């Protein structure tokens, strides 16, 4: 059982993952609506996600560094404000170009949320408890995705994509209030190492491999899930039915997270990650071959189960690799590198769809990427989590 402090911190910090997922999921749902309104090609639609990922990559590094210099709490507050105000502005985008520009700034805030939130948890807890809380915090991602699915299902027709974006900004005031009660675990030192000094003192081949694993996780996740509603629609499902499928597939994420959290302290973390990555790769191949309702739901659910479990495990693994004075910067840098995969994945899918490459071949590419990520994790620090 967790202490009351651990439960309270988990609930507050978990909102970072919730808002991140809410935004990413909602963008995937409104992409077909925006594409239809502005008559966009698939490649142009892919840029809607890619430009967000560019902002997220920069935001992860920038806010991660700010967390080391100005405090975790202040960095969390600033990133949330940038995200929420940006989404309000996005709802009033007059055209495709302005949408891309504003999405970049929304991405800055979103990208900063997760590495700072992970750093905050890692500062307060150690060993197995730290790993479990980080994975459980990541499970709030599924909650955010489910909320986005419900909002899209209920209000897409009546409010349109602009109204849906406005809705995402409404809960931010509540989040800001509860985050104001957070307290940083470590005082910010009078002297904070520069980014170059942080890299010099912490970079080694294991850091490079950690970055590669992040790259493969985000490349596969964003490439597959940002296009999921559109892919479901192309398989003969209506957009609303696609939302229903997505809700069912998303529910499968929760047991994936919970199993990964339970495995912490029982087997080595890298083996948990490798198992989840291999499971994701096999599921990606099977999902690409699925052409009826049952197999789409089955393999889509397995894909969701394993991919998000892998995501949670790599989040649990990363902050503990670094000392507190470098933790925000290096966690942000790892996720920033991963965001490059989040840029490439959706763009690649749009590019291939425009050239009439079938979904089954596209998902074979993701399977290969996931296997590369699993192989690279073989050489990460091999240690059992201690209580």
């Amino acid at each position: 059982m967790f202490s009351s402090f651990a439960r309270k911190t988990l609930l507050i910090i978990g909102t970072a993952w919730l808002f991140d997922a809410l935004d990413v999921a909602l963008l995937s749902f409104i992409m077909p609506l925006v594409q239809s309104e502005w008559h966009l090609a698939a490649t142009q639609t892919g840029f809607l996600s890619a430009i967000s990922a560019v902002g997220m990559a920069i935001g992860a590094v920038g806010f991660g560094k700010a967390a080391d210099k100005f405090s975790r709490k202040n960095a969390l507050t600033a990133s949330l404000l940038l995200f929420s105000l940006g989404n309000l502005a996005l709802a009033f985008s007059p055209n495709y170009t302005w949408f891309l520009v504003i999405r970049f700034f929304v991405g800055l805030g979103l990208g900063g949320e997760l590495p700072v939130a992970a750093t905050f948890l890692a500062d307060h807890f150690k060993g197995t408890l730290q790993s479990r809380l980080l994975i459980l915090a990541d499970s709030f991602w599924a909650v955010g995705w489910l909320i986005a699915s419900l909002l899209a299902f209920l209000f897409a027709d009546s409010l349109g994509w602009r109204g849906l974006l406005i809705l995402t900004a409404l809960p931010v005031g509540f989040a800001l209030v509860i985050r104001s009660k957070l307290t940083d675990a470590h005082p910010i030192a009078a002297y904070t190492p520069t980014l170059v000094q942080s890299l010099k003192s912490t970079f080694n081949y294991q850091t490079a491999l950690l970055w590669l694993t992040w790259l493969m996780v985000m490349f596969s996740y964003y490439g597959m899930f940002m296009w999921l509603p559109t892919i479901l629609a192309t398989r003969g499902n209506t957009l609303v039915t696609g939302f229903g499928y997505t809700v069912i597939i998303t529910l499968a994420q929760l047991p994936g997270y919970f199993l990964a959290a339970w495995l912490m302290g029982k087997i080595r973390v890298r083996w948990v990650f490798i198992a989840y990555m291999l499971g994701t790769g096999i599921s990606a191949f099977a999902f690409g071959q699925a052409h009826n309702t049952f197999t789409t739901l089955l393999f889509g659910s397995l894909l969701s189960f394993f991919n998000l479990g892998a995501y949670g495990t790599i989040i649990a693994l990363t902050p503990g690799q670094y000392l507190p004075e470098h933790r925000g910067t290096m966690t942000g840098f790892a996720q920033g590198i991963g965001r490059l995969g989040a840029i490439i994945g959706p763009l690649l899918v749009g590019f291939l769809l425009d050239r009439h490459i079938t979904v089954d071949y596209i998902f074979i590419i993701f399977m290969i990427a996931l296997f590369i990520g699993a192989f690279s994790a073989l050489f990460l620090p091999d240690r059992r989590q201690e209580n």
Side-chain angles (χ1 to χ4, degrees), residues 71-95:
S71 88
R72 322 309 196 201
K73 178 179 175 179
N74 290 337
L76 271 175
T77 301
S79 64
L80 181 60
L81 282 173
L82 181 57
F83 150 70
S84 59
L85 294 177
N87 255 351
L88 280 176
L90 191 67
F92 299 95
S93 302
N95 53 47

mmCIF file of all heavy atoms in Angstrom, residues 71-95:
data_model
loop_
_atom_site.group_PDB
_atom_site.id
_atom_site.type_symbol
_atom_site.label_atom_id
_atom_site.label_comp_id
_atom_site.label_asym_id
_atom_site.label_seq_id
_atom_site.Cartn_x
_atom_site.Cartn_y
_atom_site.Cartn_z
ATOM 1 N N SER A 71 13.234 25.251 -10.454
ATOM 2 C CA SER A 71 12.407 24.360 -9.644
ATOM 3 C C SER A 71 11.430 23.584 -10.514
ATOM 4 O O SER A 71 10.957 24.069 -11.553
ATOM 5 C CB SER A 71 11.632 25.087 -8.530
ATOM 6 O OG SER A 71 10.388 25.570 -8.985
ATOM 7 N N ARG A 72 11.142 22.348 -10.052
ATOM 8 C CA ARG A 72 10.205 21.475 -10.777
ATOM 9 C C ARG A 72 8.804 22.092 -10.792
ATOM 10 O O ARG A 72 8.111 22.074 -11.805
ATOM 11 C CB ARG A 72 10.139 20.094 -10.137
ATOM 12 C CG ARG A 72 11.408 19.484 -9.592
ATOM 13 C CD ARG A 72 12.584 19.453 -10.512
ATOM 14 N NE ARG A 72 13.596 18.517 -10.015
ATOM 15 C CZ ARG A 72 14.867 18.556 -10.369
ATOM 16 N NH1 ARG A 72 15.302 19.492 -11.199
ATOM 17 N NH2 ARG A 72 15.718 17.656 -9.912
ATOM 18 N N LYS A 73 8.381 22.622 -9.643
ATOM 19 C CA LYS A 73 7.030 23.161 -9.517
ATOM 20 C C LYS A 73 6.795 24.315 -10.485
ATOM 21 O O LYS A 73 5.763 24.371 -11.179
ATOM 22 C CB LYS A 73 6.800 23.627 -8.081
ATOM 23 C CG LYS A 73 5.450 24.259 -7.821
ATOM 24 C CD LYS A 73 5.318 24.665 -6.358
ATOM 25 C CE LYS A 73 4.020 25.403 -6.091
ATOM 26 N NZ LYS A 73 3.889 25.780 -4.662
ATOM 27 N N ASN A 74 7.721 25.250 -10.561
ATOM 28 C CA ASN A 74 7.556 26.395 -11.454
ATOM 29 C C ASN A 74 7.551 25.967 -12.922
ATOM 30 O O ASN A 74 6.794 26.514 -13.739
ATOM 31 C CB ASN A 74 8.673 27.414 -11.214
ATOM 32 C CG ASN A 74 8.541 28.120 -9.877
ATOM 33 O OD1 ASN A 74 7.449 28.191 -9.309
ATOM 34 N ND2 ASN A 74 9.647 28.629 -9.351
ATOM 35 N N ALA A 75 8.399 24.991 -13.253
ATOM 36 C CA ALA A 75 8.432 24.517 -14.639
ATOM 37 C C ALA A 75 7.128 23.825 -15.006
ATOM 38 O O ALA A 75 6.614 23.985 -16.125
ATOM 39 C CB ALA A 75 9.614 23.568 -14.834
ATOM 40 N N LEU A 76 6.561 23.058 -14.074
ATOM 41 C CA LEU A 76 5.280 22.395 -14.329
ATOM 42 C C LEU A 76 4.168 23.418 -14.560
ATOM 43 O O LEU A 76 3.334 23.265 -15.454
ATOM 44 C CB LEU A 76 4.913 21.496 -13.151
ATOM 45 C CG LEU A 76 5.416 20.056 -13.165
ATOM 46 C CD1 LEU A 76 5.055 19.363 -11.864
ATOM 47 C CD2 LEU A 76 4.847 19.291 -14.352
ATOM 48 N N THR A 77 4.141 24.448 -13.750
ATOM 49 C CA THR A 77 3.114 25.482 -13.881
ATOM 50 C C THR A 77 3.223 26.209 -15.213
ATOM 51 O O THR A 77 2.223 26.425 -15.914
ATOM 52 C CB THR A 77 3.228 26.490 -12.730
ATOM 53 O OG1 THR A 77 3.070 25.814 -11.483
ATOM 54 C CG2 THR A 77 2.167 27.571 -12.851
ATOM 55 N N ALA A 78 4.430 26.590 -15.588
ATOM 56 C CA ALA A 78 4.637 27.322 -16.837
ATOM 57 C C ALA A 78 4.263 26.481 -18.050
ATOM 58 O O ALA A 78 3.640 26.974 -19.000
ATOM 59 C CB ALA A 78 6.097 27.769 -16.940
ATOM 60 N N SER A 79 4.621 25.202 -18.026
ATOM 61 C CA SER A 79 4.317 24.340 -19.181
ATOM 62 C C SER A 79 2.811 24.163 -19.344
ATOM 63 O O SER A 79 2.290 24.156 -20.470
ATOM 64 C CB SER A 79 5.006 22.981 -19.032
ATOM 65 O OG SER A 79 4.519 22.271 -17.904
ATOM 66 N N LEU A 80 2.099 24.035 -18.225
ATOM 67 C CA LEU A 80 0.648 23.872 -18.287
ATOM 68 C C LEU A 80 -0.031 25.131 -18.817
ATOM 69 O O LEU A 80 -0.970 25.059 -19.624
ATOM 70 C CB LEU A 80 0.105 23.521 -16.902
ATOM 71 C CG LEU A 80 -1.401 23.291 -16.808
ATOM 72 C CD1 LEU A 80 -1.831 22.137 -17.698
ATOM 73 C CD2 LEU A 80 -1.810 23.019 -15.353
ATOM 74 N N LEU A 81 0.428 26.293 -18.381
ATOM 75 C CA LEU A 81 -0.151 27.546 -18.875
ATOM 76 C C LEU A 81 0.056 27.704 -20.375
ATOM 77 O O LEU A 81 -0.859 28.102 -21.105
ATOM 78 C CB LEU A 81 0.469 28.731 -18.125
ATOM 79 C CG LEU A 81 -0.059 29.004 -16.717
ATOM 80 C CD1 LEU A 81 0.783 30.087 -16.047
ATOM 81 C CD2 LEU A 81 -1.524 29.430 -16.778
ATOM 82 N N LEU A 82 1.255 27.396 -20.851
ATOM 83 C CA LEU A 82 1.545 27.526 -22.277
ATOM 84 C C LEU A 82 0.662 26.589 -23.087
ATOM 85 O O LEU A 82 0.108 26.971 -24.135
ATOM 86 C CB LEU A 82 3.013 27.233 -22.537
ATOM 87 C CG LEU A 82 3.491 27.359 -23.993
ATOM 88 C CD1 LEU A 82 3.206 28.750 -24.546
ATOM 89 C CD2 LEU A 82 4.977 27.035 -24.088
ATOM 90 N N PHE A 83 0.498 25.364 -22.615
ATOM 91 C CA PHE A 83 -0.344 24.391 -23.313
ATOM 92 C C PHE A 83 -1.805 24.853 -23.378
ATOM 93 O O PHE A 83 -2.436 24.829 -24.442
ATOM 94 C CB PHE A 83 -0.239 23.036 -22.606
ATOM 95 C CG PHE A 83 -1.473 22.190 -22.699
ATOM 96 C CD1 PHE A 83 -1.855 21.624 -23.904
ATOM 97 C CD2 PHE A 83 -2.262 21.947 -21.587
ATOM 98 C CE1 PHE A 83 -2.999 20.837 -24.000
ATOM 99 C CE2 PHE A 83 -3.397 21.165 -21.668
ATOM 100 C CZ PHE A 83 -3.770 20.608 -22.876
ATOM 101 N N SER A 84 -2.348 25.299 -22.243
ATOM 102 C CA SER A 84 -3.770 25.640 -22.193
ATOM 103 C C SER A 84 -4.089 26.889 -22.998
ATOM 104 O O SER A 84 -5.067 26.925 -23.753
ATOM 105 C CB SER A 84 -4.210 25.825 -20.741
ATOM 106 O OG SER A 84 -3.468 26.843 -20.112
ATOM 107 N N LEU A 85 -3.272 27.925 -22.853
ATOM 108 C CA LEU A 85 -3.511 29.149 -23.624
ATOM 109 C C LEU A 85 -3.317 28.902 -25.112
ATOM 110 O O LEU A 85 -4.032 29.460 -25.956
ATOM 111 C CB LEU A 85 -2.567 30.249 -23.128
ATOM 112 C CG LEU A 85 -2.808 30.738 -21.691
ATOM 113 C CD1 LEU A 85 -1.754 31.764 -21.294
ATOM 114 C CD2 LEU A 85 -4.205 31.323 -21.548
ATOM 115 N N GLY A 86 -2.357 28.048 -25.437
ATOM 116 C CA GLY A 86 -2.135 27.712 -26.840
ATOM 117 C C GLY A 86 -3.324 27.005 -27.456
ATOM 118 O O GLY A 86 -3.711 27.285 -28.596
ATOM 119 N N ASN A 87 -3.938 26.082 -26.708
ATOM 120 C CA ASN A 87 -5.095 25.368 -27.256
ATOM 121 C C ASN A 87 -6.296 26.282 -27.447
ATOM 122 O O ASN A 87 -7.088 26.112 -28.374
ATOM 123 C CB ASN A 87 -5.470 24.195 -26.348
ATOM 124 C CG ASN A 87 -5.051 22.866 -26.939
ATOM 125 O OD1 ASN A 87 -4.639 22.788 -28.090
ATOM 126 N ND2 ASN A 87 -5.142 21.814 -26.153
ATOM 127 N N LEU A 88 -6.450 27.276 -26.554
ATOM 128 C CA LEU A 88 -7.520 28.254 -26.753
ATOM 129 C C LEU A 88 -7.306 29.035 -28.046
ATOM 130 O O LEU A 88 -8.231 29.256 -28.819
ATOM 131 C CB LEU A 88 -7.577 29.210 -25.559
ATOM 132 C CG LEU A 88 -8.283 28.714 -24.305
ATOM 133 C CD1 LEU A 88 -8.164 29.746 -23.187
ATOM 134 C CD2 LEU A 88 -9.758 28.427 -24.590
ATOM 135 N N ALA A 89 -6.054 29.442 -28.268
ATOM 136 C CA ALA A 89 -5.744 30.161 -29.499
ATOM 137 C C ALA A 89 -5.932 29.275 -30.723
ATOM 138 O O ALA A 89 -6.392 29.731 -31.782
ATOM 139 C CB ALA A 89 -4.300 30.688 -29.445
ATOM 140 N N LEU A 90 -5.608 27.999 -30.579
ATOM 141 C CA LEU A 90 -5.713 27.067 -31.702
ATOM 142 C C LEU A 90 -7.147 26.935 -32.192
ATOM 143 O O LEU A 90 -7.393 26.758 -33.391
ATOM 144 C CB LEU A 90 -5.176 25.703 -31.273
ATOM 145 C CG LEU A 90 -4.959 24.660 -32.375
ATOM 146 C CD1 LEU A 90 -3.842 25.103 -33.302
ATOM 147 C CD2 LEU A 90 -4.637 23.310 -31.758
ATOM 148 N N ALA A 91 -8.083 27.035 -31.276
ATOM 149 C CA ALA A 91 -9.490 26.904 -31.645
ATOM 150 C C ALA A 91 -9.949 27.993 -32.606
ATOM 151 O O ALA A 91 -10.959 27.839 -33.291
ATOM 152 C CB ALA A 91 -10.355 26.933 -30.388
ATOM 153 N N PHE A 92 -9.186 29.093 -32.674
ATOM 154 C CA PHE A 92 -9.565 30.206 -33.546
ATOM 155 C C PHE A 92 -8.645 30.321 -34.762
ATOM 156 O O PHE A 92 -8.591 31.373 -35.401
ATOM 157 C CB PHE A 92 -9.558 31.499 -32.742
ATOM 158 C CG PHE A 92 -10.528 31.498 -31.593
ATOM 159 C CD1 PHE A 92 -10.100 31.153 -30.310
ATOM 160 C CD2 PHE A 92 -11.871 31.790 -31.788
ATOM 161 C CE1 PHE A 92 -10.979 31.119 -29.245
ATOM 162 C CE2 PHE A 92 -12.767 31.762 -30.728
ATOM 163 C CZ PHE A 92 -12.332 31.426 -29.456
ATOM 164 N N SER A 93 -7.956 29.242 -35.093
ATOM 165 C CA SER A 93 -7.062 29.249 -36.259
ATOM 166 C C SER A 93 -7.863 29.530 -37.532
ATOM 167 O O SER A 93 -8.828 28.818 -37.829
ATOM 168 C CB SER A 93 -6.356 27.902 -36.403
ATOM 169 O OG SER A 93 -5.617 27.573 -35.260
ATOM 170 N N PRO A 94 -7.453 30.540 -38.313
ATOM 171 C CA PRO A 94 -8.211 30.860 -39.520
ATOM 172 C C PRO A 94 -7.872 29.959 -40.708
ATOM 173 O O PRO A 94 -8.656 29.863 -41.659
ATOM 174 C CB PRO A 94 -7.794 32.307 -39.814
ATOM 175 C CG PRO A 94 -6.407 32.413 -39.248
ATOM 176 C CD PRO A 94 -6.400 31.531 -38.030
ATOM 177 N N ASN A 95 -6.714 29.315 -40.662
ATOM 178 C CA ASN A 95 -6.308 28.481 -41.801
ATOM 179 C C ASN A 95 -5.263 27.466 -41.357
ATOM 180 O O ASN A 95 -4.832 27.449 -40.203
ATOM 181 C CB ASN A 95 -5.762 29.350 -42.946
ATOM 182 C CG ASN A 95 -4.654 30.284 -42.494
ATOM 183 O OD1 ASN A 95 -3.723 29.881 -41.794
ATOM 184 N ND2 ASN A 95 -4.758 31.556 -42.878
#
